[in-house]
Structures are given as structure tokens and as C-alpha cells.
Amino acid sequence: MTRSLVLAEVVDGVLAPVTAQAVTAAVSLGGEVVLALVAQDPQSLVPDASLIGVTEIVTVAVPGSDRDHEQSLAAAAALVADVQPDQVIAGFTIRSSAFAAALGHKLDLGVITDAIAVYRDDSQNLVATRSIYAGRVRAHVVIDGARPGIVLVRPSIWEPADPGGSPVVRVLTVEIPTSRVRTIELVRPSGGVDLSSADVIFSIGRGAGSQENVANFAAMAAKLGVALGASRPIIDAGWLPAAHQVGQTGSTVKPRLYVAFGISGALHHLAGMQNSRTIVVVNSDRNAPLFDNADIGAIEDIHDVIEQLTLLA
Amino acid sequence: MKVLVCVTQTLEVSTYIELTPDGCAIDPAFATALVNEADLCAVEEALVLVEADGGGEVVLVSVGEEGAEQALRSALSLGPERAVRVWGEGVVLADTRSVAGALLACIESEAPDLVLTGVQSSDTGAQSVGPALAAMWGVACVPVGRRLSTSDSTLRLEREFEAGLVERVEVDLPALVTVQVGANTPRYGSFKDKMRAKKADISVVAPSTLPPSRITLTRMEAAPTGSGRSLELIEGGPSAVATRIMDLVREAQS
Ligand SMILES: Cc1cc2nc3c(=O)[nH]c(=O)nc-3n(C[C@H](O)[C@H](O)[C@H](O)COP(=O)(O)OP(=O)(O)OC[C@H]3O[C@@H](n4cnc5c(N)ncnc54)[C@H](O)[C@@H]3O)c2cc1C
Ligand SMILES: Nc1ncnc2c1ncn2[C@@H]1O[C@H](COP(=O)(O)O)[C@@H](O)[C@H]1O
């Protein structure tokens, strides 16, 4: 029988949604599913982590924060030694990516990140499917069947496992080394806009070209009463505050209408807006990947369209 | 200070693609090759650090064949002194651990104070080579970093998490940082640097030992088109587009 070790994603002491999705991925492989909770107070996470399909929960109490990836590495290595899984599954997130490859090196295991499917082939090898080249290609990667593999699963692909399971809970004690990465300060994003509750979002990307264009766009959005989103380069350029960023490292949004102006549709951006009800894209390049993920598209210069919109606003 | 920057070539593929006969790569006719965006940010970060440190050297390294050579020449045009290409039998480019193992050979001969990689390859995005390489080298890794500065042998920087969370951290050198896309605006290099990059002598080193490859890319296929959404294109020019968008906005707001 196969056994999966799922490493929970803990953010600010709370179980992140990708954990329940990773459990579903593990359950689909059959066998036992052991869910590991590595946190300062792992016991407090047990109720949320008691998901259907989880056979056992192993808690590891650690001194540092959930951002300490050297701590995560030490805990994960001890968990693999203890649980002896056939596969280790975690979310493809910044926290997990920070240690997964190091874990692969330390234990001599194959690592596949950003998987959108996992299964066992006819020879019982673990196979993960990756979506690459802006989502245009699927690559099938096999982990040598003789050894466990580490798979990081892309968020929002698997349905979350339901609460209401009754797994056995067990404590594992792990010696944690002091991290070589020392925290000086934690900076939380400044507020200002709440994109998560907006019905309509107009989002602007690198196609805007200048700060002045972004300012004009912001004025038009305000006049129409729609929320203002942006892709990351706009934030990096300092043209809008970070609270406007949509995507993996920004906000996840689900408006009724999302209109993207001059945004190419990188996976990191899609991660934050692909569940919007209606997606409209305005881009002069028909080859932009966002067209593959939109309901309505216009192959136009955004400046011309914004000029026309301003007349109607 | 000596900074080693790992650069790689990435492919931008067209909407319609064909694969190579073995089914494991994109037919080059359907792709445009570029230097990985995050790696250019890493090069820029390295150049600024060395300038601020009052001297030193920025050395580039790439694992691969012609693609690696092209990536190194393009990145050299930003101004780094030298470039090294790593290639040899047994290197598996589709296995990030194998790539990291090959890069380690260069670290051993160059003995840098700091190694920078990009946060990820924009086309196949594993976010793995940097963390794997740091583990092999035995130094601390700071992923998704920006705003690097050094004083004595301490490196300070910001690292980023989801939802806009930023942590300011410090580590002792030597260390490895994976530089975030958009961390800076990479310079365009001078004409002189461009000419130098064209003619530069790029040495090739073979990795001595490589980690065993535990994964195999068995096949690729074109993704099923569409995301469950079917695209309707608006015709009729900018004013027709604006009118349609306004209709959609009113409907969604009502
Ligand atoms: C770990 C990590 C996390 C990230 N997190 C995020 C995130 O949360 N959010 C995010 O957005 N990105 C994120 N990124 C960056 C992401 O990978 C892309 O680089 C970014 O989304 C690209 O933004 P863009 O589409 O605006 O720019 P580009 O990709 O440069 O696209 C600009 C588009 O505008 C079009 N265009 C240009 N001029 C015009 C014009 N006049 N009229 C019409 N169209 C025009 C072009 O055809 C192009 O398609 C992250 C990256 C990494 C590595
Ligand atoms: N073949 C390669 N040669 C040199 N550096 C590489 C290579 N592949 C990846 N890298 C580096 O590792 C980073 C992360 O790549 P990846 O793990 O593929 O997402 C890239 O931004 C590069 O800096």
C-alpha cells in the first residue's frame, strides 16, 4: 500500500487553503495520507487539519516562524525519516519552494514542482504533469519508482478535501537548528483598496507604458466606480501601491467582471484572477496567453480603447 | 566582492506549436529564445552590488549548449567581466537538480562571495535551481529577494511572500539569493560592452560529479486549448470595444 506525507502550508499560524487541496491530490493516489503540521502551536491546527481522507496527523512544534525555511527543511527531513512515505506532497508556494529542492538534495529524492496532475503509471512510477510555456504545453515527468518523490502541487487545481475526518494525532519531536537567515523586520502590505470584494475590476499592465497613463486610467476607473487592479510590473515601477497588485504575490480576486488592459497573462497573474466570472482582455498582441483564458477579447491598442472609454465614462 | 550570476535561456512559444520528434522539446521554429527575465534582474543587482562595494567582479555561468552560449553573450552585454559555460555528459537540463549539480562545479572553481539566480525560469518555472544549488554548496539561501546591499560580509535584503508580505532579512556571506522578477530595471549595456560580449571568449567547463537524476521528462504535448472559456473577439475598432465594455460594466454593477 502506498503512503503519502502531506506537508501542511501554515501562514501566520493558520492553515492555508492549499493544504486541503494537497490532501485531495494525495488521496487520489490511494493508500494512507499522513498530514504533517509544522508550526509554533500545531495542536491548534488539528481541528482544521482533520480532513476527510487524512489517516494520521503528525504535529511538529517549532520555535521559529512559518517563514523560516531552514526550520521547515529540518522538520520535513525528520518527518520523511519517521513516516517513510512513498511520496511527499505540498503546495507550490513560496514557503514550500524555499526548502523542497534542498530536501530533495538532502535525502537524494526527485523533486517536481508546480504539478497540475499526479498519478501512478502502469509500472507504479509516480508521474506528475506540469503546465509549462505559459500553459501551452503539458510535460509528463516520472519519478524513479524505487524511491519516494517530492511533488509540489499548483494551488487551486485540486478541490479541497472536506472537513470532518477523524485522524489519529501523534506528536513528533524534532531538533531545529537556528536559521542562518535572520529576520530584521516584517513589512505587511499597506491597505487602501480591497479588491477581494469588488464586482468589477479594471486591471492595468505593462502595456500602459507610463506613470501618466496609469494615472489617467485610475481616474477613469474611479469615475466608473470600478476597482483598480494591476499586474506586478506596475507595482514594481512604483506607479501604484502594492495593494493594487493582482496575482500570486498580490490579491486573489473573483469579481463578476475582470477587464485586463495590456496584461500578457503570465501564470502568476492568472493565479490571482482566473476564477473571475467574466474575463475581458484588451491587448494588441493576439498571441498574449491571457486570450486563452478570457471570455471576451479585443485586439486593440489599449490607449485607443481607454480614450473611447473616457468619453463614455 | 565576487558575484556569480546563473543565467539561462527561456523560450516564448507561439499559440500553435509543434514538438521535436522525441516529443520532449518545442520545435525551435515555434519559439523565440530570450535571456530569462529574472536572470537579467539578477545581473543588474550584481553589477550594482559590486559597484557599491567599490570593486570586484561579476561572473556569469550557464549550463547548456548553444542556448546557454547565447544567453551568456546577451547577458554579458550588460557589463559583467566574464562568462563560463558548463556542459558535459550526463547533465539533464530537464532536471533542476542536475542543473544545480553542474553549476556547483563552477562555484568550486570560482569561489564567489555571493551567487545569484533568478527566482525562476519564466517558461518552465520550477523555482528549484537556486534552493538546490545553495543546499549543495552548503550556504544559506534567500528566495525571492530584492534590494540587496552588503556591509562587510553581511548581506541585507528583502524577501517576498504571497499577498504582498515582505520580510527584511540578513545573512552572512557566502550565500545564495534568487532574485525576483522586476527587482530592478536591467540596464541596456553600452555599445562597447555589446561589442565585447559578441567577441568574448567563453570557457567551457565539465562538471566533475553530478547528482543521480531521479526524474525523467518522458513526453510533452500541446495543452488542450482553452480554459473552459470560449473566446469571443470584439470587432469594430476601439469605440465598439469601449461600448461593449461599458455594457458589461453596467450589467455587472446592477
Ligand atoms: C514568484 C513570482 C511571483 C509573481 N507574482 C505576480 C503577481 O502576483 N502578479 C503579477 O501580475 N505578476 C506576478 N509575477 C510576474 C509575472 O511573472 C509577469 O512578469 C507579470 O505578470 C507580467 O505583467 P504584464 O502582463 O503587465 O507585463 P508583460 O508580460 O510585459 O505584458 C504586457 C502586455 O501588454 C501588451 N501591450 C503592450 N503595449 C500595449 C498597447 N499599447 N496596447 C495593448 N496591449 C499592449 C503586450 O502585448 C503584452 O502582452 C510574479 C513573478 C514571480 C517570479
Ligand atoms: N541551465 C541553467 N544554467 C544556469 N542557470 C540556470 C539554468 N537553469 C536555471 N538556472 C537558474 O536558476 C533559476 C531558477 O530556475 P528554475 O529552477 O528552472 O525555475 C534561473 O532563473 C537561473 O538563474
Side-chain angles (χ1 to χ4, degrees):
Chain A
M1 192 165 72
T2 161
R3 186 184 301 142
S4 297
L5 169 64
V6 177
L7 302 173
E9 172 95 0
V10 180
V11 176
D12 285 339
V14 176
L15 211 60
V18 73
T19 306
Q21 300 162 16
V23 165
T24 300
V27 167
S28 75
L29 294 169
E32 292 171 37
V33 176
V34 180
L35 178 59
L37 300 175
V38 178
Q40 287 174 345
D41 180 11
Q43 290 305 327
S44 69
L45 302 174
V46 168
D48 284 348
S50 296
L51 299 161
I52 290 178
V54 174
T55 40
E56 184 182 28
I57 290 178
V58 181
T59 63
V60 180
V62 290
S65 81
D66 52 57
R67 301 179 310 280
D68 179 350
H69 55 282
E70 297 203 343
Q71 165 177 284
S72 304
L73 172 64
L79 280 157
V80 172
D82 178 83
V83 173
Q84 298 281 316
D86 298 293
Q87 54 270 332
V88 180
I89 297 183
F92 180 57
T93 60
I94 292 176
R95 283 171 179 79
S96 293
S97 305
F99 71 85
L103 185 66
H105 166 67
K106 191 170 171 154
L107 306 180
D108 187 16
L109 305 179
V111 182
I112 303 174
T113 60
D114 197 17
I116 60 161
V118 282
Y119 57 96
R120 288 208 174 263
D121 66 11
D122 297 339
S123 326
Q124 290 304 304
N125 289 311
L126 184 65
V127 189
T129 308
R130 308 187 70 227
S131 167
I132 55 178
Y133 298 111
R136 289 183 174 149
V137 174
R138 297 278 154 89
H140 300 271
V141 189
V142 175
I143 293 190
D144 171 4
R147 305 180 63 77
I150 303 169
V151 179
L152 301 190
V153 298
R154 180 182 292 181
S156 301
I157 297 285
W158 281 266
E159 287 296 322
D162 289 321
S166 42
V168 183
V169 183
R170 178 163 70 85
V171 176
L172 180 71
T173 307
V174 181
E175 184 103 23
I176 301 294
T178 307
S179 179
R180 293 169 292 183
V181 183
R182 302 182 292 271
T183 303
I184 303 170
E185 187 188 7
L186 196 60
V187 189
R188 305 224 169 245
S190 54
V193 277
D194 180 15
L195 293 175
S196 60
S197 61
D199 282 333
V200 182
I201 296 176
F202 276 13
S203 219
I204 189 109
R206 184 136 63 185
S210 72
Q211 178 156 27
E212 195 194 345
N213 288 338
V214 173
N216 291 339
F217 184 81
M220 178 205 47
K223 215 162 150 198
L224 287 173
V226 307
L228 179 63
S231 69
R232 180 175 178 114
I234 300 297
I235 312 306
D236 285 333
W239 294 345
L240 283 176
H244 292 273
Q245 185 181 319
V246 173
Q248 190 203 332
T249 44
S251 300
T252 301
V253 300
K254 209 175 171 177
R256 288 184 181 175
L257 177 66
Y258 188 89
V259 192
F261 294 88
I263 296 177
S264 63
L267 293 171
H268 301 104
H269 190 79
L270 286 173
M273 45 62 76
Q274 63 194 356
N275 293 327
S276 304
R277 191 194 294 165
T278 302
I279 297 174
V280 181
V281 48
V282 184
N283 195 309
S284 47
D285 177 8
R286 173 64 181 93
N287 216 359
L290 197 51
F291 281 112
D292 303 345
N293 292 275
D295 304 289
I296 298 170
I299 306 161
E300 295 289 348
D301 188 311
I302 56 167
H303 304 113
D304 298 340
V305 173
I306 293 167
E307 193 184 306
Q308 292 298 318
L309 272 172
T310 310
L311 297 177
L312 300 175
Chain B
M1 182 165 65
K2 183 168 178 178
V3 186
L4 187 68
V5 186
C6 306
V7 300
T8 188
Q9 191 176 56
T10 51
L11 300 181
E12 221 162 67
V13 305
S14 54
T15 321
Y16 173 78
I17 51 152
E18 283 179 19
L19 300 173
T20 52
D22 69 355
C24 285
I26 308 279
D27 181 328
F30 300 91
T32 313
L34 300 163
V35 185
N36 186 31
E37 189 180 358
D39 301 356
L40 291 175
C41 295
V43 173
E44 175 66 30
E45 207 69 35
L47 291 169
V48 171
L49 267 182
V50 167
E51 280 156 19
D53 200 50
E57 199 184 15
V58 177
V59 181
L60 304 178
V61 58
S62 187
V63 181
E65 300 186 90
E66 288 100 67
E69 172 98 18
Q70 286 168 10
L72 287 171
R73 283 197 198 280
S74 321
L76 269 177
S77 70
L78 272 65
E81 279 77 10
R82 284 188 295 122
V84 181
R85 182 164 73 86
V86 184
W87 189 242
E89 206 177 318
V91 181
V92 184
L93 285 177
D95 183 353
T96 50
R97 200 169 153 216
S98 180
V99 171
L103 287 166
L104 188 65
C106 186
I107 294 191
E108 280 159 358
S109 57
E110 295 286 342
D113 301 295
L114 174 67
V115 173
L116 301 182
T117 70
V119 63
Q120 70 162 47
S121 308
S122 64
D123 52 356
T124 54
Q127 296 188 25
S128 295
V129 170
L133 180 58
M136 290 176 188
W137 186 22
V139 303
C141 175
V142 183
V144 203
R146 63 200 304 161
R147 298 212 169 87
L148 280 64
S149 66
T150 52
S151 65
D152 300 322
S153 60
T154 303
L155 174 72
R156 287 189 174 207
L157 70 158
E158 291 181 1
R159 62 181 296 207
E160 195 178 304
F161 291 90
E162 284 88 0
L165 183 66
V166 171
E167 185 180 22
R168 288 184 53 227
V169 298
E170 61 172 36
V171 282
D172 295 332
L173 295 175
L176 183 146
V177 175
T178 80
V179 176
Q180 174 63 311
V181 174
N184 52 45
T185 310
R187 65 193 69 185
Y188 281 104
S190 63
F191 179 69
K192 211 176 105 224
D193 285 328
K194 288 208 166 75
M195 293 313 291
R196 200 175 48 85
K198 240 186 197 163
K199 297 198 197 104
D201 191 17
I202 297 180
S203 58
V204 182
V205 301
S208 44
T209 49
L210 285 170
S213 195
R214 299 288 178 209
I215 64 167
T216 314
L217 170 63
T218 51
R219 99 194 130 84
M220 287 186 183
E221 70 214 10
T225 42
S227 43
R229 296 181 191 263
S230 57
L231 181 70
E232 172 208 334
L233 284 176
I234 313 174
E235 310 287 346
S239 71
V241 174
T243 308
R244 180 70 189 280
I245 291 175
M246 279 308 297
D247 290 346
L248 288 163
V249 169
R250 292 210 182 91
E251 193 186 308
Q253 284 176 333
S254 66

